[in-house]
Amino acid sequence: MNPFRWSYRVTYLVGFLICVGLLGFALYAEHVLAMIPCPLCVFQRIAFLFMAAFFLVGAIHGPRGKGGRWFYTAGVTLGALAGMATAARHLWLQTLPADQVPSCGPNLGYMMDAFPMAKVLKMVFTGSGECAKIEPILGMPMPAWTLLWFVLLAVLAIRAAASRRS
């Protein structure tokens, strides 16, 4: 089956399944491979979850008009852009020399309980030592893979919205 000929609904269902598969792999990496997620990893998971929700509702609704299609595409793209920014920041932290890596801070659960959301976001994006740890998967660090998937999924959503197929 040619993916360039998929209907809007099939394309969005595939996008949803890819997001679910990526989240499933993240849980596998956490619980089986013992790769404890840093706060930036958690935010990337949230972005995939956000995108999955828009992919699923878009697949179920299957709007015929361009307005509805672009609404779901905007949601997917918003999640992808947030994920790209987070993954890019994560990759940048991983390229820092060891003496410039920020010290490890509290985990995300503690930060969410102890600080207001604005401060939590600032602390997370400042980064910490655990975010700079590189654990490659198939030769690339996890944030490089997530960045690639955010781009591919955004392109998939935009292509589906621009297509004339229902």
Side-chain angles (χ1 to χ4, degrees), residues 9 12 25 36 38 40 51 53 55 60 66 76 82-83 96 103 111 124 127-128 134 141 155:
R9 281 187 158 170
Y12 265 57
F25 179 78
I36 306 302
C38 70
L40 289 175
M51 292 170 65
F55 271 128
I60 292 170
K66 290 289 183 186
V76 169
L96 290 175
S103 62
M111 288 190 285
V124 167
S128 62
I134 300 174
V155 168

Side-chain angles (χ1 to χ4, degrees), residues 5-12 58-59 61-66 69 160-166:
R5 300 182 63 96
W6 288 348
S7 70
Y8 176 86
R9 281 187 158 170
V10 169
T11 303
Y12 265 57
H61 179 210
R64 296 205 182 269
K66 290 289 183 186
R69 288 181 176 201
S163 173
R164 296 185 191 272
R165 297 189 188 285
S166 56

Side-chain angles (χ1 to χ4, degrees), residues 61-105:
H61 179 210
R64 296 205 182 269
K66 290 289 183 186
R69 288 181 176 201
W70 285 107
F71 171 78
Y72 295 118
T73 300
V76 169
T77 305
L78 181 65
L81 290 172
M84 284 183 232
T86 306
R89 177 69 176 172
H90 198 167
L91 282 170
W92 178 78
L93 284 170
Q94 290 184 343
T95 63
L96 290 175
D99 63 330
Q100 293 181 10
V101 173
S103 62
C104 290

Side-chain angles (χ1 to χ4, degrees), residues 6 11 14-23 25-26 44-45 47-48 51-52 55 76-77 79-85 87-88 91 137-138 140-158:
W6 288 348
T11 303
V14 168
F16 168 74
L17 293 174
I18 290 170
C19 288
V20 168
L22 291 169
L23 289 167
F25 179 78
Q44 289 169 68
R45 289 180 186 186
F48 279 124
M51 292 170 65
F55 271 128
V76 169
T77 305
L81 290 172
M84 284 183 232
L91 282 170
I137 302 212
L138 298 175
M140 285 184 1
M142 186 77 83
W145 284 111
T146 61
L147 181 61
L148 175 66
W149 279 110
F150 284 126
V151 170
L152 292 174
L153 288 167
V155 168
L156 180 74
I158 292 167

Side-chain angles (χ1 to χ4, degrees), residues 23-45:
L23 289 167
F25 179 78
L27 291 172
Y28 171 80
E30 178 181 353
H31 296 288
V32 176
L33 302 178
M35 296 173 72
I36 306 302
C38 70
L40 289 175
C41 293
V42 173
F43 277 30
Q44 289 169 68
R45 289 180 186 186

